[in-house]
Each structure stands twice: as structure tokens, then as C-alpha cells.
Amino acid sequence: MRDRIRSVVRTIRRRFVPGDDDGDLAERTVKSGMWVSAMNVLDRVLKVVMFIVLARLLGPEAIGLMGIALLTISALLSLTNLGIDAALIQRVDDDVDDYLNTTFTLELLRGLLMSSILYLAAPSLASLFGEPAARDLIRAIALVPIFLALRNPAMVYFKKDLAFHKEFAYRVSGTTAYVVVALGYAAVSPTVWALIFGYLADAGVRSVATYFLHPYRPRPALNRAYAAELIGYGKWVTGSSIVEFLYGQGDDAVVGWLLTATSLGYYQLAYRISNAPATEIAVVVSSVMFSTYSKLQEDQRALREAFFSTFRLTAFVALPMSVGIYLVAPAFVGAFLGADWLPMVLAMQILVAYGLFRTLFATFNPVWRAVGRPDVQTKLGFLRVALLAVAIVPATSAYGIEGTALAVTGILAFPMVPLYAREMKRTLDTTYRRFLRELSYPVAASGAMAMAVLAAQNRVGSPLVEFALLVAIGVVAYVVSAASLMTLFDWRVKQNLRELVSVMSK
């Protein structure tokens, strides 16, 4: 019996754990992608369940207050992001141990500085949003930067070596702590502090987990040459991080500033749900493919084909999920969140398009970073922020959270989509026709799915039953439509799926 168990364990490790002896980069990438996908699905499911429960218990205002606290720490994390991990992953050398003590020291200094700023500035930040109750919340989460700074810097190897089974353990351990603490506290005292203590537990557990997952033990030491090298590469990542915050959470800041905590609660939950597929797919692609693309940076043809395989699979999954979320949004909110949350439905539907664009662009950014051009992402991001700054305040003032959603989505659709496509065309020496060809098949299959779902809407009285019915019809319709297109035309996603199955079966 013991030998049989050992045999099963060895088989699981061989099939699902990417090791150094996996010589085929594609195989290691697929196995890593499986781990990141599993990690993000589990992470998302746990958090969605938690937020649904807490949304019903706490209400929109409490979710909005937590949103204000998270906005402050996210802003500071972005402003001080040194880009060190990206610099270490991008290096061709497999061994970066010499840099780790310097990394640890830089991050520790950054964490102490951030915590001090957050604690001292908490009253002013709360006043800025017109929510005095946010002051103590901001001061409480000021501990988080210290927890993050104390992580083992060798966790960079999780991504550099495509060892995402360790990243899985790291992420899921924190999320589990978040959910258990938040729900446990809310059961005793249903206040916004349930989310605060859950967030602190998440950061603390993850920090401890890094030392169980890698044997390296850092110590404070600063090598100026190494620091200059890392920060020299990371400056564009820092700029990109700031830009990503401005166009990723600048809308939250405007809603919190111009409207109310309740409006922010509506907007943030609408964004969280509508962009769930975008967020998870983007994390998978950026985590796995940056490392993979970095290893192909000197072979443009191989890099181009790797990119389009990723783009093809991303569109295959993201398009039907986005269309599906748009169609079932009213039934979902009514069934799971309750009538108090119905005002967020229209904003949620608008933000679905934003999430779809985000998902597709997630395949672009790792390429630019891998070929040593993170400046492309940063420059395009600055343009996007500038356009958003002009449009978002009047749109929000005039139309509320729906105006905010229209502003962020409209600017991403035009002019950013054509500009992103143009820059990637130049980087990979490809054509616009190829982009359109890769998108045409999932668009057609998703259109057929949408017609089937629309035909079944409003057939039953219960929101929960309607939601389940629409999801089932949508899944069946898309599978049938996609299978038909694979049979009739040369949709190469069929080959990609076979390769995935082949790698999984090894």
C-alpha cells in the first residue's frame, strides 16, 4: 500500500510539477501555467465567496471604507515599487543569489518608510475622502508594508524558475488566512474590521510561508553596484507601476473623492466581479509568460509564435467569459448579493468590456519587458492616464459610477487598442491581419453563445434558477460553436489545446 501511494505521488509530481529536468521549455511553461491557473481560480473562488458573504453582512458603505484604506496602500506600493523582481527575472543568469541580500535590504528600507508615511498621513488621507472613519483603518494596514518587506527575497525563484507550485502554496496560504480570519471576525462582529484583520493575516502568513518554501536565509547587506544595476532596470517598471495604479485604481480614487463610500463600494464590487476573468488570466499570463519570453528574447520568430499561441488561448477563454458576465449580471446580483446591490449592475456590465481589453493586453506587456523594452508599456500608460484625467472627473460628476465606467472603458477602446496593436506589430514584425484572424473565431463562437443566452432570459422567476440556467446554456452553446469552428476552419487553438493535453498526460 505504501509503495502504491509513493508511486501515485511520483506520478503527480512528474505530470504537474515543473522541474529542472524538464528540458522542454513549452512543457515547463504549460505545467507552470496549470499551477498559476489553479492558484488563481482557487484564490478567486475563496475571495468571491468571502466578499459575497461579507457584502450581504456589511453593506456597500463598509466595502467602500475598506476600499479607501486599500487605495492608500496601493498608491504607496506603486509609487515606491523598485522593480527589483522584474530585473532579477529578466536576467539571463539562472543564479541570482548574489543579489538577494541587497534586494532584502532595499525592500526593508522601503517597507519601513511606507509604514511610517501611512501611519502619519492617515488623518489627512481620511479627510481627503471625506470619511473620518477611514483614519484608523489606514493606520491598521500600515503594518502590511513591513510584512511584505520581511518576505524571503529568494521567492523570486518561484517565477524565474517557473516553480509555480511554490507560488501556489505562497498565494493560497495567505488567501486562506484572509478568508478564515475575515469570516470568523464577521461572525462575531460584522464590521469593516473583519476585512482589515483578514488583510493583515493574509500579508503576515504569506511572509512566513516564503521561509518554508525556500531554504535561502537573507541578511541585511547593501552592495551599491548591485543596487544601482537593479534599480537601473527597475526604473521603468517603477514608472509602469505608477501608471498602472493611476489607470487601474485612479477611477476608484475619483469615485471615493467625488461621490461617497457607498458609491465606491458599488463601483469596486462591480469592478471586482466584472473583471474577475481579466484579473486571473492577466496574472497567469504575466507571471508565466514573462519568464518564458525572457528565455526566447534572442529568437524573434520563436517569440512571435509563443506570443500568438498565448494570445489565441487567452481570447478563446476571455471572450466567452466576458460576454457571459455581461448577460448574467442582473441575475447574479439579484441571486447572490441582494437588492441593496442592484444599483451596481449597469456599471458592472460596462466594465466587462474594460476587463476584456485588459485581458488581451496582458499578453502584450510581458513581451516588451522580456525584450528589455518596459518603457513601451510605461509610455503608453502615461498617455492613457493623461486622457483619463481629462475625461473621468466630468463623466463621474455627470453620470455617477456609470460615467466612471464609461470613461475608463471608452479610452481603453480608443485610442489605446490601436496604439497597443501598432507597437506589438513593430516589436514582433507581424501584421494587423494576424491579430484580426486570431480574434475572429472566438468572436463568432461567443456571438452564437450570446444569442442562445438571450433567447433563454426572463423565462423563470427566481434569479438563482435563472442564473444557473443561463450559465449552463452559455457553456453548452460556446462549446458546440467552438467545436464546429475547429472542424470547419483552421482555428489553431485546436492544436494548442492538444498540446496542453499532451503535456498534461506526460
Side-chain angles (χ1 to χ4, degrees):
M1 183 65 179
R2 184 178 298 176
D3 291 340
R4 181 175 296 178
I5 293 175
R6 287 176 178 173
S7 176
V8 171
V9 171
R10 284 195 297 269
T11 300
I12 292 173
R13 286 182 61 85
R14 184 176 68 251
R15 291 190 176 183
F16 298 108
V17 178
D20 295 334
D21 55 342
D22 290 329
D24 183 6
L25 180 59
E27 181 174 342
R28 293 180 63 198
T29 301
V30 170
K31 289 181 178 179
S32 299
M34 289 164 56
W35 276 104
V36 176
S37 299
M39 171 180 68
N40 286 289
V41 168
L42 181 57
D43 182 85
R44 178 58 54 181
V45 168
L46 289 173
K47 286 184 177 177
V48 165
V49 170
M50 179 190 73
F51 271 99
I52 287 174
V53 173
L54 293 180
R56 296 192 77 115
L57 281 175
L58 308 182
E61 183 178 5
I63 300 299
L65 285 172
M66 180 62 178
I68 290 172
L70 292 179
L71 270 174
T72 61
I73 192 170
S74 295
L76 207 52
L77 284 169
S78 299
L79 287 169
T80 61
N81 181 8
L82 301 176
I84 292 175
D85 281 359
L88 293 175
I89 293 171
Q90 197 269 346
R91 287 183 62 83
V92 176
D93 299 335
D94 292 330
D95 187 344
V96 293
D97 280 3
D98 291 344
Y99 293 83
L100 296 184
N101 285 333
T102 296
T103 296
F104 181 73
T105 304
L106 290 172
E107 293 290 358
L108 187 59
L109 293 172
R110 174 196 179 210
L112 292 170
L113 176 63
M114 286 179 58
S115 293
S116 300
I117 292 173
L118 278 175
Y119 186 86
L120 295 173
S124 298
L125 292 169
S127 177
L128 176 66
F129 288 98
E131 296 288 348
R135 183 197 63 182
D136 291 340
L137 306 182
I138 295 171
R139 282 181 167 171
I141 65 170
L143 288 170
V144 170
I146 295 177
F147 289 148
L148 297 178
L150 291 173
R151 292 177 300 179
N152 190 339
M155 62 182 289
V156 71
Y157 285 118
F158 300 170
K159 294 180 181 179
K160 186 173 180 65
D161 296 340
L162 301 179
F164 285 98
H165 55 296
K166 295 183 178 181
E167 183 81 6
F168 177 93
Y170 164 73
R171 280 275 302 277
V172 173
S173 64
T175 298
T176 302
Y178 193 165
V179 173
V180 170
V181 171
L183 292 180
Y185 190 96
V188 178
S189 176
T191 66
V192 67
W193 285 98
L195 288 165
I196 293 293
F197 286 122
Y199 190 67
L200 290 171
D202 184 348
V205 168
R206 288 191 189 194
S207 182
V208 172
T210 59
Y211 290 90
F212 286 96
L213 293 168
H214 199 283
Y216 185 85
R217 296 295 177 262
R219 59 182 179 83
L222 186 64
N223 182 304
R224 292 185 179 181
Y226 289 162
E229 180 182 346
L230 294 173
I231 295 173
Y233 174 89
K235 65 179 183 293
W236 286 109
V237 178
T238 303
S240 177
S241 179
I242 295 171
V243 170
E244 285 178 4
F245 169 79
L246 290 174
Y247 64 62
Q249 297 186 62
D251 49 346
D252 292 349
V254 170
V255 171
W257 175 49
L258 289 179
L259 304 178
T260 63
T262 299
S263 297
L264 180 59
Y266 286 138
Y267 186 80
Q268 287 192 324
L269 197 58
Y271 180 93
R272 182 183 293 273
I273 296 172
S274 65
N275 277 245
T279 301
E280 303 320 319
I281 294 171
V283 169
V284 173
V285 171
S286 62
S287 297
V288 178
M289 298 315 299
F290 176 35
S291 301
T292 302
Y293 292 156
S294 293
K295 298 177 189 301
L296 300 173
Q297 58 185 286
E298 296 179 0
D299 185 342
Q300 188 183 62
R301 182 179 180 280
L303 180 62
R304 180 170 59 245
E305 294 309 311
F307 165 78
F308 275 111
S309 291
T310 305
F311 184 80
R312 187 181 306 120
L313 284 169
T314 300
F316 174 74
V317 175
L319 268 161
M321 292 185 74
S322 297
V323 172
I325 291 173
Y326 177 88
L327 294 172
V328 305
F332 174 85
V333 173
F336 294 102
L337 297 175
D340 288 347
W341 290 91
L342 287 175
M344 78 177 202
V345 169
L346 180 56
M348 178 177 166
Q349 290 178 311
I350 296 170
L351 288 169
V352 166
Y354 177 79
L356 176 60
F357 292 134
R358 276 186 63 221
T359 309
L360 297 178
F361 287 160
T363 63
F364 287 42
N365 296 333
V367 174
W368 289 321
R369 292 166 62 194
V371 299
R373 290 295 312 278
D375 59 298
V376 174
Q377 179 184 355
T378 303
K379 291 170 182 176
L380 288 173
F382 272 122
L383 174 61
R384 182 173 161 190
V385 167
L387 294 173
L388 187 59
V390 173
I392 193 168
V393 171
T396 302
S397 298
Y399 303 106
I401 61 173
E402 291 81 9
T404 311
L406 283 170
V408 299
T409 304
I411 287 170
L412 190 55
F414 185 84
M416 300 315 300
V417 167
L419 291 175
Y420 268 79
R422 185 190 68 179
E423 291 302 319
M424 187 54 65
K425 173 179 174 289
R426 292 175 176 175
T427 301
L428 296 179
D429 190 24
T430 186
T431 64
Y432 293 122
R433 180 178 295 179
R434 181 153 189 192
F435 282 105
L436 294 174
R437 184 173 73 245
E438 300 295 356
L439 287 173
S440 62
Y441 297 113
V443 166
S446 298
M449 180 195 76
M451 288 189 287
V453 172
L454 286 170
Q457 277 186 332
N458 302 317
R459 300 290 183 180
V460 293
S462 168
L464 182 59
V465 174
E466 182 181 18
F467 173 76
L469 177 65
L470 295 180
V471 170
I473 290 173
V475 170
V476 172
Y478 185 72
V479 169
V480 171
S481 301
S484 300
L485 289 171
M486 291 179 198
T487 302
L488 296 172
F489 302 98
D490 183 27
W491 189 5
R492 294 180 62 188
V493 76
K494 182 177 182 179
Q495 177 184 344
N496 297 139
L497 293 173
R498 284 177 174 171
E499 291 170 354
L500 285 174
V501 173
S502 175
V503 170
M504 291 171 61
S505 64
K506 288 184 179 180

